[in-house]
Amino acid sequence: MKNNSLALIAWTILILFPLGDRDLGAEQPNIIVIMADDLGYGDLSCYGATELETPNIDKLAQEGLRFTQGYCSASTCTPTRFSFLTGKYAFRQAGAGIAPPNATALIKPGTETIASILKKAGYQTAVIGKWHLGLGQGNGPDWNGIIKPGPLEIGFDYSYLLPTTNDRVPSVYVENHRVKNLDPNDPLWVGKKRPSADHPTGKDPEVRKNLKMDWSHGHNMTVHNGIGRIGFFTGGMKARWRDEDLADEWVKQSVKWIEKNKDNPFFLFFSSHDIHVPRMPHERFQGKTKLGFRGDAIAQLDWSVGEIRKAVDRLGLAKNTLIVFCSDNGPVLDDGYKDAAITKLGKHRPAGKYRGGKYSIYEGGTRTPFIVNWPGKVSPGESSAMVCTIDMATSFAKMLGQAIPDNAFPDSLDVHGALLGKPNSQGRDHLLQQPNKGPTLALRVGDWKVLSYANAKPKKHLTFEKGPGKYELYHLATDPQEKTNLATSNPAKLKELLSQLEKIKADGRTRNF
Ligand code: NG6
Ligand code: CA
């Protein structure tokens, strides 16, 4: 009898509170991931920059947790974003390097993503800003029709996109499945070849003379808004944006979307184009710093962060909103335009004390600003836990008690304790770092790091800071600047790390490394 009533109580509890995917005790904070573009470890005043000020991001850091060993998983955009969304290292995925203007959707419908798992956990989900993960299928996006698959097919409820990059055509917004403001009588064409002999390009001396910003390499095909671009496009005149207005637009659309979704848990991927080239911030930011347009674009990014926080505060959501600030790859100065990033650099060190930057597998390529802020939940301070943008998918799912399908997020580790600054929590003990594409890879295990250039056929401008030889080995704790290559003097360590690297490559997942 006693046993029966106990069983009855147990069943009643189970019916009322099913032990399903959701841990009912878990809170469901709104999650906003702000990902900057090409922002280096040393580019913010809260990370030691002295030549410019980033008050809003500094405040986010002061009131939150600032990581000194926060990483993105690659030193270019597409692979980092691919991994952030799918929890899978990009080198495992064919075609996950920098996506060209007409690239088709890299992440196939049905793939579990950070957005789809949060949707399952009851979140409304949106991506606003840079996409650069391809759209559509077959011969490329149907720019004049329904553009799919894209974010809406992999877990996002809403998308408002810069489809590729701000230096790649087409210079339009894609809202959900369509180019915004496209006049059907003025169709948009996007291609690799000059459409006609009289189509003006950035190479034509007469055109070049009058450019708003001159190019230094590449970026000399179609000219739009006085700036040469990668790729060609015609038409869609009413749909075209101005570079100067992009940041305002991301903020405006995000605030609108947050207002609309304030009553349910939401996940916003705020994907800023700042400070990617062409750095052409709004007129009100031009000249705001002494670092030229690169610094002014950082000021604009800082403003965007402030505006998002203001909206969250105004709507009374601050206490229930977890904000992560990160970057998609390390810094670069001349990435194809003459914007004075080098001549006005002065004492500023975009990668802080680290070696390398964008395109490189030295620390500067992937060790980037990483801040977690959740008032009342994440104690302010500094963390030296090793965390990576690739970990957010698993970590947020675990934080929410949401079950992860077995084949999902193979390289994404549960570091939610470290992200929230929980006592005795640990970050990663290892991390693979890649440039744009393999086979060049680096693996950090604890304080050791191996860089492998085996089989690499580096392209000219993508080999920024490649050292000599096939392998490099560094002890980061004593040599954070990766100056003393120990590959020859410590062959045992080299062998150990290389075999761990091979294991991660062969296993297809690192969850159980
Ligand atoms: C490179 C571009 C560079 C930038 C990069 C992608 C040239 C010469 N260089 O190929 O300007 O667009 O691709 O940057 O065209 S990323 O941050 O989106 O990965
Ligand atoms: Ca980038």
Side-chain angles (χ1 to χ4, degrees):
M1 190 60 192
K2 203 175 161 199
N3 278 350
N4 278 351
S5 37
L6 273 180
L8 191 67
I9 293 170
W11 275 114
T12 316
I13 290 174
L14 266 180
I15 287 161
L16 288 176
F17 305 102
L19 288 177
D21 286 340
R22 190 92 49 85
D23 167 3
L24 287 171
E27 280 181 83
Q28 291 195 307
N30 306 310
I31 300 173
I32 303 179
V33 175
I34 302 175
M35 190 176 274
D37 198 344
D38 297 3
L39 187 78
Y41 191 88
D43 274 328
L44 303 172
S45 32
C46 55
Y47 275 89
T50 53
E51 305 306 291
L52 85 173
E53 278 177 9
T54 49
N56 291 297
I57 304 174
D58 293 0
K59 191 161 179 274
L60 190 78
Q62 273 149 21
E63 297 168 2
L65 198 54
R66 191 181 68 90
F67 288 80
T68 55
Q69 308 206 70
Y71 288 87
C72 46
S73 54
S75 59
T76 59
C77 166
T78 304
T80 283
R81 286 155 200 266
F82 170 83
S83 300
F84 162 60
L85 291 179
T86 64
K88 178 170 153 182
Y89 283 136
F91 79 89
R92 299 194 197 284
Q93 178 79 25
I98 298 170
N102 267 330
T104 53
L106 179 59
I107 307 173
K108 301 289 171 262
T111 310
E112 199 75 65
T113 65
I114 187 167
S116 64
I117 204 104
L118 290 174
K119 199 171 150 89
K120 281 184 192 164
Y123 280 63
Q124 285 293 311
T125 55
V127 49
I128 296 176
K130 178 174 177 172
W131 182 240
H132 207 195
L133 288 163
L135 290 168
Q137 52 193 354
N139 296 327
D142 178 5
W143 297 110
N144 298 290
I146 302 291
I147 304 171
K148 75 181 214 188
L152 302 197
E153 284 66 42
I154 54 168
F156 287 100
D157 295 307
Y158 178 72
S159 62
Y160 192 95
L161 308 175
L162 167 65
T164 59
T165 61
N166 48 326
D167 58 346
R168 280 173 180 72
V169 300
S171 312
V172 297
Y173 297 114
V174 173
E175 184 175 25
N176 294 325
H177 288 140
R178 286 190 180 274
V179 171
K180 194 185 176 189
N181 294 334
L182 185 66
D183 175 356
N185 297 317
D186 180 26
L188 181 62
W189 172 87
V190 177
K192 269 196 222 162
K193 291 203 177 117
R194 190 177 191 174
S196 61
D198 60 355
H199 179 84
T201 77
K203 272 189 186 163
D204 305 340
E206 275 311 299
V207 175
R208 192 169 183 187
K209 261 194 343 219
N210 296 311
L211 290 176
K212 190 186 280 189
M213 182 183 275
D214 196 10
W215 49 273
S216 55
H217 53 266
H219 306 104
N220 50 25
M221 295 166 224
T222 291
V223 173
H224 164 66
N225 191 28
I227 299 172
R229 314 276 164 173
I230 301 175
F232 296 95
F233 78 129
T234 59
M237 296 311 286
K238 279 193 194 149
R240 297 185 181 198
W241 40 247
R242 244 173 37 111
D243 302 73
E244 292 87 334
D245 299 326
L246 288 172
D248 283 344
E249 191 69 13
W250 310 140
V251 166
K252 182 174 133 197
Q253 298 300 336
S254 297
V255 171
K256 200 162 97 184
W257 187 82
I258 293 173
E259 279 168 353
K260 207 168 136 199
N261 290 282
K262 66 178 173 28
D263 295 327
N264 34 51
F266 63 76
F267 165 57
L268 170 63
F269 175 24
F270 182 90
S271 183
S272 173
H273 73 297
D274 280 320
I275 55 168
H276 196 280
V277 296
R279 298 165 189 131
M280 185 53 64
H282 192 270
E283 286 82 351
R284 69 187 188 279
F285 293 105
Q286 296 182 11
K288 276 280 172 259
T289 70
K290 55 183 177 188
L291 300 181
F293 279 5
R294 187 174 183 278
D296 300 345
I298 296 177
Q300 176 170 273
L301 169 72
D302 183 69
W303 169 84
S304 307
V305 173
E307 291 304 296
I308 296 295
R309 287 199 85 198
K310 257 194 227 162
V312 167
D313 284 349
R314 172 170 56 81
L315 297 167
L317 302 174
K319 280 218 147 58
N320 195 31
T321 302
L322 188 171
I323 301 179
V324 179
F325 178 89
C326 57
S327 177
D328 71 341
N329 53 252
V332 57
L333 293 174
D334 181 348
D335 207 14
Y337 294 95
K338 296 181 187 167
D339 60 5
I342 294 176
T343 52
K344 294 198 170 178
L345 187 64
K347 288 192 293 184
H348 183 63
R349 291 291 164 267
K353 66 178 172 189
Y354 297 109
R355 180 175 178 183
K358 184 173 182 177
Y359 310 118
S360 139
I361 49 176
Y362 290 118
E363 290 292 284
T366 50
R367 196 190 286 212
T368 32
F370 204 113
I371 300 163
V372 177
N373 178 297
W374 184 6
K377 294 285 177 197
V378 171
S379 304
E382 187 184 292
S383 171
S384 59
M386 199 198 311
V387 294
C388 179
T389 47
I390 198 172
D391 297 326
M392 283 191 253
T394 292
S395 299
F396 292 154
K398 292 280 185 189
M399 178 182 84
L400 296 166
Q402 180 67 40
I404 301 172
D406 200 44
N407 58 356
F409 313 149
D411 301 303
S412 176
L413 301 186
D414 177 17
V415 292
H416 84 272
L419 290 175
L420 302 180
K422 294 240 167 89
N424 304 321
S425 58
Q426 284 190 341
R428 298 179 144 257
D429 57 356
H430 72 284
L431 176 68
L432 186 138
Q433 291 153 271
Q434 70 166 80
N436 186 38
K437 291 182 194 174
T440 301
L441 293 171
L443 177 68
R444 175 176 174 185
V445 182
D447 283 330
W448 287 94
K449 176 171 168 187
V450 70
L451 287 74
S452 166
Y453 294 101
N455 310 316
K457 285 191 211 114
K459 279 193 190 165
K460 212 171 75 197
H461 73 277
L462 297 182
T463 56
F464 185 56
E465 271 270 16
K466 179 201 167 306
K470 224 172 166 181
Y471 303 118
E472 293 172 36
L473 177 73
Y474 298 102
H475 186 249
L476 291 177
T478 49
D479 181 20
Q481 290 159 315
E482 298 166 283
K483 279 184 177 157
T484 311
N485 180 5
L486 304 170
T488 322
S489 60
N490 197 340
K493 196 41 107 181
L494 178 69
K495 202 171 152 208
E496 184 189 321
L497 261 71
L498 285 175
S499 84
Q500 283 167 319
L501 178 59
E502 286 312 313
K503 184 171 179 293
I504 291 177
K505 280 160 75 177
D507 279 1
R509 64 194 297 152
T510 58
R511 263 202 329 229
N512 306 319
F513 177 77

